[in-house]
Amino acid sequence: MDFKLPDYGRFCIDRLLHLLGWGGAVPGDAFGSRARPDARRTVLFVVDGLGHADLVARAGVAPSLNTHLLARLDSVAPTTTAAALTALTTGSAPGVHGIVGQRVPVPDGSGHWAEYDVLRSLWSRQGGGAPPAFESGGGAPPAFEPPTPFGGARPYVISKRKHLGTGFTALHLGSDPEAVWKTPSAMVVEVARALRETSGDIYLYYDGLDTTAHHHGFGDHYDAELGYVDTVVAALIDLLPASARLVVTSDHGCVPVAAYLAVPRPVADLCAAIGGEDRNAYLISRPGREGELASAAKEHFQDKAWVMTRQEALHAGIYGPRVTPAARSRIGDVRIFPFPGYGIRTSPGEGHRPASPVCSHGSLSAAELGVPVVVA
């Protein structure tokens, strides 16, 4: 089974702001006049977890979104919120912005590895503990220093209240939002206020669809949530002045997960550390055992996952055409990307239990990588 490689720098979300002509940039030809490059301001609505294929398959559930569907772009690899949102806002691939997963390995300076959850407040250590001091030198973890969000043309940001004050918010947005919503109904109210009281671009983020897919899968709950998102889109279109445009996109799609794979003991015994998330994992070898680990992992997972060494991942361009030393150190010696239908558990011997989450993302399938671009 072949994996899908993101079309970095061209038809990928790391190029979206340029394609839209954000901040005065010359818009890309791929979007043509339908992207309304002459619009004086943009409301960019990012709907977490909205895959292009899932949207097209539900035209009756989401008529407003499908009516104004303009294009399909690629997400980034891995297809996680942390990596993808940072790529979208900074215009850079994960190999440059350094977020090569939702949870990344970081050396603690004494030859051991800790795992840090990028989306957790203040970059906290998995399972608790003090946040790392991301400073250079002295063996400390290298700093996350992505390019400036929005190319320095910061919009009026509206996001979820619980994301205030978190390290990830500071990283991919530059600072806390100008306005927040606690209940979804407040999103339209806040956009209306921003349209009245400001003159620049607006960035709106919503995570309800992704949460619904994780907990309920692609069933009635998902259709109901997508229908709600569609009503929000219709309401935003009604709010727009003639000089503005609405652009709706996403960070990644989702796929159903029927079974979770375990990292078997013979593979785990070759590892100094194992980590990652539902649909991609990293393995860090014990010293001098890199070749054995790669062979063992490929033999065990060959019919259920794409398995590649760090060098193979870099050669394939998984994380983009350029990878910084800091990003390279976080990839792991072996990376595992499960095929559709599978997830992965990073505790040895754990797996093959009822799937939870029901749907997830993070791997290299076309369904996870394809995201829509809607322009109204």
Side-chain angles (χ1 to χ4, degrees), residues 75-92:
S75 181
V76 300
T79 46
T80 63
T81 295
L85 286 185
T86 308
L88 192 158
T89 60
T90 66
S92 60

Side-chain angles (χ1 to χ4, degrees), residues 51-62 66 223 226:
H52 179 271
D54 300 318
L55 175 61
V56 171
R58 292 167 175 80
V61 174
N66 276 280
D223 287 354
L226 179 58

Side-chain angles (χ1 to χ4, degrees), residues 10-34:
R10 296 181 69 245
F11 302 111
C12 180
I13 57 174
D14 69 340
R15 189 68 168 171
L16 177 61
L17 297 186
H18 180 89
L19 290 171
L20 293 172
W22 188 280
V26 178
D29 294 338
F31 279 53
S33 60
R34 287 194 298 160

Side-chain angles (χ1 to χ4, degrees), residues 109 122 129 176 203 328:
L122 297 179
D176 273 344
Y203 176 95
R328 187 182 189 279

Side-chain angles (χ1 to χ4, degrees), residues 7 101 154 174 181 196 217 219 255 259 274 305 307 342 351 359:
D7 193 5
R154 181 177 173 82
W181 56 268
R196 290 194 308 269
V255 295
I274 302 172
V307 183
Y342 295 104
C359 286

Side-chain angles (χ1 to χ4, degrees), residues 16-312:
L16 177 61
L17 297 186
H18 180 89
L19 290 171
L20 293 172
W22 188 280
V26 178
D29 294 338
F31 279 53
S33 60
R34 287 194 298 160
R36 291 202 57 213
D38 60 328
R40 292 198 293 274
R41 64 192 308 193
T42 298
V43 178
L44 178 59
F45 183 20
V46 179
V47 181
D48 200 312
L50 178 59
H52 179 271
D54 300 318
L55 175 61
V56 171
R58 292 167 175 80
V61 174
S64 294
L65 284 161
N66 276 280
T67 295
H68 298 285
L69 180 61
L70 175 63
R72 176 201 178 281
L73 291 184
D74 286 338
S75 181
V76 300
T79 46
T80 63
T81 295
L85 286 185
T86 308
L88 192 158
T89 60
T90 66
S92 60
V96 172
H97 67 57
I99 308 301
V100 295
Q102 179 169 315
R103 296 193 294 272
V104 296
V106 182
D108 66 4
S110 61
H112 298 94
W113 294 85
E115 182 174 72
Y116 293 103
D117 189 328
V118 175
L119 292 182
R120 195 171 294 188
S121 177
L122 297 179
W123 315 93
S124 63
R125 183 174 302 201
Q126 185 181 18
F134 283 99
E135 300 171 353
S136 60
F144 289 99
E145 295 180 351
T148 302
F150 305 105
R154 181 177 173 82
Y156 185 96
V157 176
I158 304 169
S159 191
K160 196 172 185 178
R161 186 176 185 274
K162 70 178 291 185
H163 298 156
L164 284 172
T166 65
F168 181 61
T169 291
L171 181 99
H172 84 288
L173 295 177
S175 63
D176 273 344
E178 281 70 21
V180 297
W181 56 268
K182 189 172 184 180
T183 58
S185 59
M187 292 191 295
V188 176
V189 176
E190 292 299 336
V191 171
R193 185 203 311 274
L195 286 170
R196 290 194 308 269
E197 298 179 359
T198 70
S199 59
D201 296 323
I202 299 167
Y203 176 95
L204 172 65
Y205 171 78
Y206 180 63
D207 62 354
L209 189 69
D210 183 68
T211 300
T212 300
H214 281 310
H215 288 282
H216 299 288
F218 292 128
D220 292 342
H221 289 86
Y222 184 89
D223 287 354
E225 179 65 21
L226 179 58
Y228 171 72
V229 171
D230 199 66
T231 65
V232 172
V233 168
L236 293 175
I237 292 172
D238 287 343
L239 287 175
L240 291 178
S243 60
R245 64 182 171 183
L246 172 69
V247 177
V248 186
T249 192
S250 184
D251 51 351
H252 56 72
C254 294
V255 295
V257 178
Y260 278 83
L261 308 173
V263 177
R265 179 57 63 184
V267 175
D269 286 346
L270 296 168
C271 295
I274 302 172
E277 43 262 16
D278 292 330
R279 282 193 37 81
N280 76 87
Y282 61 80
L283 310 179
I284 295 175
S285 172
R286 294 186 185 279
R289 310 295 292 275
E290 291 85 357
E292 292 177 76
L293 175 60
S295 296
K298 289 181 179 182
E299 181 179 359
H300 181 79
F301 291 107
Q302 62 183 335
D303 60 342
K304 295 182 176 66
W306 297 286
V307 183
M308 57 193 81
T309 65
R310 177 192 283 111
Q311 194 57 41
E312 288 168 342

